[in-house]
């Protein structure tokens, strides 16, 4: 530590080892010495000798200048030698290659190679060329490398030393080798015939010593120039040293002393510790603040910082000299921020300087800020991660997932059963454990699904009464909590859970349940700040739980409405074996629906529809459309005409609905309507924007019926078309909504292909078909409703059908009655004969009187006895009440009284008047 003169306390005088970094009194002492030498009249020569000995800045500059000049001279000589070598090698390569190519392409060379004695012709030429080109050898050889020429004749006929492979293939070889005559560069080139064939090789080589010599001539000049430069540099350095000495001598001892005193005062008055460490980790300087912060001994200067009693990490950092910025180190009870920089930058002495700042209070503030940041982050994550779905149970689970382990080690959520069902809870009812989250799964807490009540002395019961959060810091001493379930609470305490926060889940004035936060890992109990955080966390989750509860209630109401609008059971009929499936959407209720409608003549209508959208409006609209189809089907209309009426109805519904109200227009309503006749085994199908039906033949082949696709209902403007399908007995007709074959992850083509594969592998019954289709998509939670209707066709046996053609003659009525009586007797329905004769007499008489030929009577024995009269007229009879004076008009009245049902349906050839009687 540097101290001012006159200060109390010891002052270290031990000189540091390594490169010497002078302490603060040094500059002042040297200034005083120079001043005294100047006043004593020492000559200019004395100061110059002092500078040349290197004890001043001028001396160091002088030595540095001389060293630089010497280094420049050495560098110039080395560069010259390297350049000459490079030029020599390049010259040798170029000359040897040029000589070899010239000789190889010279006239007569190729012809001489083909002569009986190539050596006799080529040896004189090669020697003459070698001497003229000033190379060491020119060798001509065959493609096997056998020499024909050589400067030394006894080497002719021997194999050439070098790489000739590329030259034999037509290339050129230039290489540097160590030959018998020294280091040389040789080139080998081919002698090629006009067709490109290599007939021989020519090699030329030259030693590098024959090319060099430039360096020997230039080196004396460079050395002479370097000597002159050294002399000039020495003289210039001497002049600079004299000037520096003269300028330094201008400062008197007082100025130098005051400069030191100011430096020392500033160094020891700053509130940051300053430490200078030299080579090998020795402490050179430490101010008063550094002594206080590090608790250094008085004789610390000059000692190794690793031997001053500091902690290992801090001592190693100060000794290493690495650059750090605001690196925190605990030293005793303090937390120090260390900044360290090396001192040898810009030519300074080796070592490092470090500043130390006490940041203990800042650390405490940073810790509190970090804790506040973590709590804000927890609340933010709770706002984002809790309530992602409108499911009460899942929302409770999300609350537990967010709170563990960031806030508590275990979290339990207990809600009233009424909340789980979407209803308002009743005070005092039992709670049900809805969600449990924890850092481990073996905690002895109540499991999920357990129903219980809290005793009055428990903190949970107090929270429910006061609607305020309750903190229980020490569970092992909480007698009220221990009384809840003595055996289980004892296990909880033994498990290590020691503190609890219980918070009621409030939604306005309604308490929905409780959330308990348990801690086991941290020994500290929950505090009041954490109690407030728990209240805020549960308050945010309570909004999502209440929203989910309200949605559950509304969803339940919508599902109930939707279920009530769908058929509860299928009507009895003999034409089709039917199975169906209905899957509601994963979220919300939709507008998918289906129906089976018995028609006259043992026929059956199948209908499947879809109202796009979800919610009560879609369900209500679906009910309206289903009711309309029921009413329109009573008119016995063809499928295309029925869809036309339904389209007009949807258009009127859209006009009646306000555009901005909750009842949005019915955009996207689709429908498929099919009528199957078991007598003709034909099926008439029309569709309005709906997927086509699938048909499974009795042999198992699956096809999608080619039914013209009409526009969705409500658009208007385009007619619908009916397609006629002939279905053999045992065929299966599959009707479905688009939720089965289309969703966000796949398009309708992929869905239809998957449906085709599932239908192809399904069993023969409609029930097995439904099961196979849904099993193929497991696990399956549709985002849209799915309606699936599978109908296997039956045919009415021929012995249950009776038909007669009737001429347009009233006398034919008697014949018809006789034929009907006979057929009824064959069917064992003698009791029905009188009624049936009477009904057919009236119907046939009306057809003869008011209709048009041809006239035909058909009687079907199905679940009812059906009588039908066909004629080609278009006039529809109507029921009226005849007056007492009227002679006629009572025929249809009698038919209506005797038959269970009767009606009229139109065909392409006319109309049919039918009546049904129940069988005994």
């Amino acid at each position: 530590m540097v101290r001012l003169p006159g200060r109390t306390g010891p002052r270290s005088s031990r000189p540091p080892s390594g490169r010497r970094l002078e302490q603060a009194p040094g500059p002042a002492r040297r200034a005083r010495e120079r001043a005294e030498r100047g006043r004593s009249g020492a000559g200019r020569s004395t100061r110059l000798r002092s500078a040349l000995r290197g004890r001043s800045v001028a001396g160091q500059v002088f030595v540095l200048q001389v060293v630089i000049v010497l280094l420049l001279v050495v560098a110039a000589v080395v560069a010259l030698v390297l350049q000459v070598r490079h030029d020599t090698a390049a010259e040798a390569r170029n000359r040897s290659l040029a000589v070899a190519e010239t000789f190889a392409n010279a006239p007569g060379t190729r012809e001489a190679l083909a002569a009986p004695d190539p050596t006799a012709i080529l040896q004189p030429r090669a020697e003459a060329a070698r001497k003229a080109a000033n190379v060491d050898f020119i060798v001509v050889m065959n493609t096997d490398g056998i020499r024909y020429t050589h400067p030394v004749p006894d080497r002719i006929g021997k194999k050439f030393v070098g790489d000739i492979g590329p030259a034999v293939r037509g290339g050129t070889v230039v290489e540097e080798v160590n030959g018998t005559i020294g280091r040389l560069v040789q080139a080998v080139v081919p002698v090629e015939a006009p067709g490109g064939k290599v007939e021989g090789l020519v090699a030329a080589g030259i030693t590098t010593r024959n090319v060099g010599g430039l360096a020997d001539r230039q080196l004396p000049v460079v050395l002479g120039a370097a000597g002159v430069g050294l002399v000039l540099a020495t003289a210039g350095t001497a002049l600079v040293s004299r000037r520096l000495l003269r300028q330094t001598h201008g400062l008197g001892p007082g100025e130098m002393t005051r400069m030191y005193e100011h430096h020392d005062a500033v160094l020891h008055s700053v509130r940051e510790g300053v430490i200078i460490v030299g080579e090998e980790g020795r402490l050179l300087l430490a101010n008063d603040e550094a002594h206080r912060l590090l608790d250094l001994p008085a004789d610390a200067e000059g000692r190794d910082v690793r031997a001053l009693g500091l902690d290992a990490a801090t001592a190693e950092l100060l000794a290493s000299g690495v650059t750090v910025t605001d690196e925190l180190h605990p030293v005793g009870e303090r937390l120090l921020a260390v900044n360290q920089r090396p001192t040898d930058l810009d030519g300074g002495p080796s070592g490092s300087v470090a500043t130390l700042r006490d940041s203990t209070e800042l650390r405490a503030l940073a810790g509190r800020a970090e804790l506040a940041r973590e709590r804000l982050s927890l609340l933010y994550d709770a706002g984002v991660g809790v309530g992602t779905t409108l499911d009460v149970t899942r929302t409770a689970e999300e609350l537990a997932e967010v709170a563990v382990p960031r806030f508590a080690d275990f979290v339990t959520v207990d809600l009233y059963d009424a909340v789980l069902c979407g209803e308002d809870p009743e005070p005092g009812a039992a709670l049900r454990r809805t969600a449990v989250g924890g850092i481990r799964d073996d905690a002895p807490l109540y499991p999920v699904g357990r129903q219980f009540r809290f005793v009055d002395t428990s903190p949970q019961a107090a929270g429910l009464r006061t609607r305020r959060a309750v903190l229980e810091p020490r569970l092992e001493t909480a007698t009220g909590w221990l009384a809840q379930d003595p055996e289980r609470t004892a296990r909880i305490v033994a498990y290590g859970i020691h503190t609890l926060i219980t918070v009621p889940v409030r939604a306005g004035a309604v308490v929905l349940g409780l959330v308990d936060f348990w801690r086991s890992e941290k020994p500290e109990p929950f505090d009041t700040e954490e109690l407030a955080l728990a209240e805020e966390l549960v308050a945010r989750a309570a909004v999502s739980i209440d929203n989910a509860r309200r949605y559950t209630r509304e969803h339940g109401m919508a599902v109930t409405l939707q279920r009530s609008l769908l058929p509860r059971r299928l009507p009895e009929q003999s034409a089709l074996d039917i199975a169906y499936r209905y899957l509601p959407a994963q979220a919300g209720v939709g507008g998918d629906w289906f129906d089976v409608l018995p028609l006259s003549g043992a026929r059956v209508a199948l209908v499947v529809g879809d109202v796009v959208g979800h919610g009560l409006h879609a369900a209500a609209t679906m009910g309206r459309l289903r009711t309309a189809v029921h009413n329109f089907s009573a008119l016995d209309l063809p499928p295309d005409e029925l869809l036309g009426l339904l389209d007009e109805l949807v258009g009127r519904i859209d006009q009646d609905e306000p555009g901005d109200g909750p009842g949005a227009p019915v955009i996207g309503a689709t429908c498929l309507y099919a009528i199957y006749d078991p007598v003709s085994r034909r099926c008439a199908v029309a569709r309005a924007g709906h997927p086509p039906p699938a048909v499974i033949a009795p042999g198992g082949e699956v096809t999608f019926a080619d039914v013209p696709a009409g526009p969705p209902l409500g658009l208007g403007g385009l007619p619908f078309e009916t397609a006629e399908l002939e279905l053999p007995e045992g065929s299966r007709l599959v009707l479905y909504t688009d939720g089965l074959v289309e969703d966000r992850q796949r398009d309708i083509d992929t869905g239809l292909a998957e449906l085709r594969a599932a239908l192809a592998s399904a069993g023969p019954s409609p029930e097995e078909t439904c099961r196979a289709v849904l099993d193929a998509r497991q696990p399956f939670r549709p985002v849209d409703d799915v309606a699936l209707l599978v109908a296997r066709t039956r045919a009415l046996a021929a012995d249950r059908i009776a038909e007669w053609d009737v001429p347009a003659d009233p006398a034919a009525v008697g014949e018809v009655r006789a034929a009907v009586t006979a057929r009824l007797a064959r069917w064992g329905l003698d009791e029905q004969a009188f009624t049936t004769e009477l009904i057919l007499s009236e119907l046939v008489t009306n057809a003869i009187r008011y209709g048009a030929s041809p006239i035909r009577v058909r009687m079907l024995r199905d679940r009812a006895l059906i009588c039908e009269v066909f004629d080609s007229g278009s006039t529809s009879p109507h029921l009226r009440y005849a007056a007492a004076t009227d002679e006629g008009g009572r025929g249809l009245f009698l038919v209506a009284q005797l038959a269970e049902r009767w009606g009229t349906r139109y065909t392409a050839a006319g109309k049919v008047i039918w009546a049904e009687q129940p069988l005994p």
Side-chain angles (χ1 to χ4, degrees), residues 97 106 118-119 220 304 377 557 736 773 809 823 826 919:
L97 180 61
T119 302
D304 194 312
S377 176
M557 294 172 57
Y736 53 91
V773 170
D809 183 359
R823 177 54 60 97
R826 189 185 308 171
L919 294 177

Side-chain angles (χ1 to χ4, degrees), residues 213-303:
L214 180 62
D216 297 337
R217 296 190 297 272
Q218 293 180 348
L219 187 58
V221 177
V222 173
L223 293 176
V228 173
L230 183 59
V231 172
L232 294 176
T234 304
T237 301
L239 293 175
V240 172
S241 299
R242 289 180 58 190
R243 185 173 183 84
L244 288 176
L245 286 173
R246 197 163 47 245
Q247 291 177 348
T248 305
H249 182 69
L251 292 176
E255 287 82 358
M256 297 296 293
T257 301
R258 283 195 300 272
M259 182 174 63
Y260 159 73
E261 291 176 348
H262 293 162
H263 165 268
D264 190 70
V266 171
L267 181 65
H268 293 285
S269 63
V270 295
R271 300 307 300 168
E272 283 192 0
V274 179
I275 287 181
I276 299 178
V277 180
E279 290 180 336
E280 300 179 359
R282 293 193 176 275
L283 180 63
L284 301 181
L285 184 146
N287 67 349
D288 293 344
E289 185 67 7
H291 272 264
R292 185 183 71 84
L293 294 177
L294 297 178
D295 195 18
L296 297 176
D299 59 346
E301 283 86 352
R303 296 169 56 184

Side-chain angles (χ1 to χ4, degrees), residues 92-109:
R93 293 169 68 90
N94 294 336
R95 189 186 299 180
S96 61
L97 180 61
V99 170
E101 289 180 343
T102 302
F103 194 87
N105 296 320
T109 300

